[in-house]
Coordinates of all heavy atoms in Angstrom, one line a residue:
T6 N -16.1 -21.2 3.8 CA -15.3 -21.9 2.8 C -15.3 -21.2 1.5 O -14.9 -21.7 0.5 CB -15.9 -23.3 2.6 OG1 -17.3 -23.1 2.2 CG2 -15.8 -24.1 3.8
W30 N 0.5 -20.8 5.1 CA -0.8 -20.7 5.9 C -0.4 -20.6 7.4 O 0.7 -20.9 7.8 CB -1.6 -22.0 5.7 CG -0.9 -23.3 6.1 CD1 0.0 -24.0 5.3 CD2 -0.9 -23.9 7.4 NE1 0.4 -25.1 6.0 CE2 -0.1 -25.0 7.3 CE3 -1.6 -23.6 8.6 CZ2 0.1 -25.9 8.4 CZ3 -1.4 -24.5 9.7 CH2 -0.6 -25.6 9.5
L32 N -2.1 -21.1 11.5 CA -3.2 -21.7 12.3 C -3.1 -21.1 13.7 O -2.1 -21.2 14.4 CB -3.0 -23.2 12.3 CG -3.8 -24.0 13.3 CD1 -5.3 -23.9 12.9 CD2 -3.4 -25.4 13.3
A38 N -9.7 -23.3 28.9 CA -9.6 -24.2 30.0 C -10.9 -24.4 30.8 O -11.0 -25.1 31.7 CB -8.5 -23.7 31.0
V52 N -15.3 -9.4 32.4 CA -14.7 -10.6 31.9 C -13.2 -10.6 32.2 O -12.5 -9.6 32.2 CB -14.9 -10.7 30.4 CG1 -14.2 -12.0 29.8 CG2 -16.4 -10.7 30.0
T57 N -10.0 -13.6 27.8 CA -10.3 -13.1 26.5 C -9.0 -13.2 25.6 O -9.1 -13.4 24.4 CB -10.7 -11.6 26.6 OG1 -9.6 -10.8 27.1 CG2 -11.9 -11.5 27.5
Q61 N -10.0 -17.1 20.4 CA -10.1 -16.6 19.0 C -11.5 -16.0 18.8 O -12.5 -16.6 18.8 CB -9.9 -17.7 18.0 CG -9.9 -17.2 16.6 CD -8.9 -16.1 16.3 OE1 -7.7 -16.3 16.6 NE2 -9.3 -15.0 15.8
L110 N -0.3 -7.9 27.1 CA 0.3 -7.9 28.4 C 1.3 -9.0 28.5 O 1.2 -10.1 27.9 CB -0.8 -8.1 29.4 CG -1.9 -7.0 29.6 CD1 -3.0 -7.4 30.5 CD2 -1.2 -5.7 30.1
L117 N 0.7 -16.6 22.8 CA 1.0 -15.9 21.6 C 2.3 -16.4 20.9 O 2.3 -16.6 19.7 CB 1.1 -14.4 21.9 CG 1.5 -13.4 20.7 CD1 0.4 -13.5 19.6 CD2 1.6 -12.0 21.3
F157 N -13.7 -3.1 25.2 CA -14.7 -3.6 26.2 C -14.7 -2.9 27.5 O -15.7 -2.5 28.0 CB -14.5 -5.1 26.3 CG -15.6 -5.8 27.1 CD1 -16.9 -6.0 26.5 CD2 -15.4 -6.1 28.4 CE1 -17.9 -6.6 27.3 CE2 -16.5 -6.7 29.2 CZ -17.7 -6.9 28.6
L169 N -2.6 4.6 20.9 CA -2.8 4.7 19.4 C -2.2 6.1 18.9 O -1.6 6.1 17.9 CB -4.3 4.6 19.0 CG -4.9 3.3 19.2 CD1 -6.5 3.4 19.0 CD2 -4.4 2.3 18.2
G174 N 1.8 8.2 13.2 CA 2.4 9.3 12.5 C 1.4 9.8 11.4 O 0.3 9.3 11.3
S224 N -4.9 16.1 12.1 CA -3.8 17.1 11.9 C -3.9 18.1 13.1 O -5.0 18.5 13.5 CB -4.0 17.8 10.6 OG -3.9 16.9 9.5
G226 N -4.3 21.3 15.2 CA -5.0 22.5 14.9 C -6.3 22.2 14.1 O -7.0 23.2 13.8

Side-chain angles (χ1 to χ4, degrees):
T6 56
W30 59 274
L32 171 65
V52 179
T57 65
Q61 179 58 55
L110 294 172
L117 175 61
F157 185 78
L169 290 172
S224 301

